[in-house]
Every structure is written in C-alpha cells, then in structure tokens.
C-alpha cells in the first residue's frame, strides 16, 4: 500500500475513533499499568469492537478495521505508565 493511502487510512481511523470516544465513557481496567497487560489488551479489543459496531461494519471491511484498530488503539487511549528518568518507557 502506498504511503499516502496508509496515512489516509490511519487518519480516518483516528478521527473516527476520536469522534466515537467523545460520546462514550472510558473505563480503564482496574490496576492496569502495563500496555501489554491482558486486561488492557481486552479493553482495546472491546473498544475496537464497539467502534466497529457503531460504524455498522461487517465482513472483510470489519476485519480490516479491527486489525488496524488493534494496532493503533494504544495511540488513541494510551495506558498511564511512567517514563523512566532517561526518557524511555
């Protein structure tokens, strides 16, 4: 896929998700601090499914959307973890 198409798809995902997120309350998993915590991954999966449902997606279109969403959900809803003193996570 060309870079311009990839950027366009990513922009669409972020805009769509941000618009839907503004209307939905967000409930973080209790006690989760690590972005690879199974609770956090399940939260992202649920959010992506809710967004796909809200857009009425199905079939291949839904599958493609969910694949992109799973990769980018942490950008949209970052988990609160502290950076170390050297600036790395």
């Amino acid at each position: 896929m060309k870079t311009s198409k990839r950027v366009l798809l990513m922009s669409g995902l972020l805009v769509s998700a941000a618009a839907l997120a503004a209307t939905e309350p967000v409930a973080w998993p209790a006690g989760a601090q690590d972005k690879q915590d199974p609770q956090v991954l399940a939260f992202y999966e649920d959010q992506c499914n809710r967004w796909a449902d809200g857009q009425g997606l199905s079939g291949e279109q839904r599958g493609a959307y969910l694949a992109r969403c799973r990769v980018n959900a942490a950008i949209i809803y970052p988990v609160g973890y502290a950076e170390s003193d050297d600036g790395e996570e």
Side-chain angles (χ1 to χ4, degrees):
M1 181 180 285
K2 292 184 179 180
T3 302
S4 60
K5 286 184 180 179
R6 197 173 294 142
V7 170
L8 182 60
L9 286 172
M10 290 300 304
S11 297
L13 174 65
L14 292 174
V15 169
S16 297
L20 287 171
T23 63
E24 298 176 0
V26 177
W28 295 108
Q33 293 296 314
D34 187 305
K35 58 187 170 182
Q36 294 301 316
D37 184 312
Q39 294 177 79
V40 173
L41 298 175
F43 169 79
Y44 290 149
E45 182 72 22
D46 290 344
Q47 279 295 94
C48 290
N49 279 301
R50 289 172 61 191
W51 292 333
D53 291 345
Q55 294 183 39
L57 300 176
S58 62
E60 289 181 24
Q61 190 177 27
R62 181 183 180 92
Y65 178 87
L66 290 174
R68 286 190 314 272
C69 185
R70 285 182 199 112
V71 171
N72 295 294
I75 296 167
I76 299 164
Y77 285 119
V79 174
Y81 54 92
E83 288 186 353
S84 65
D85 291 337
D86 61 4
E88 293 188 20
E89 296 176 10

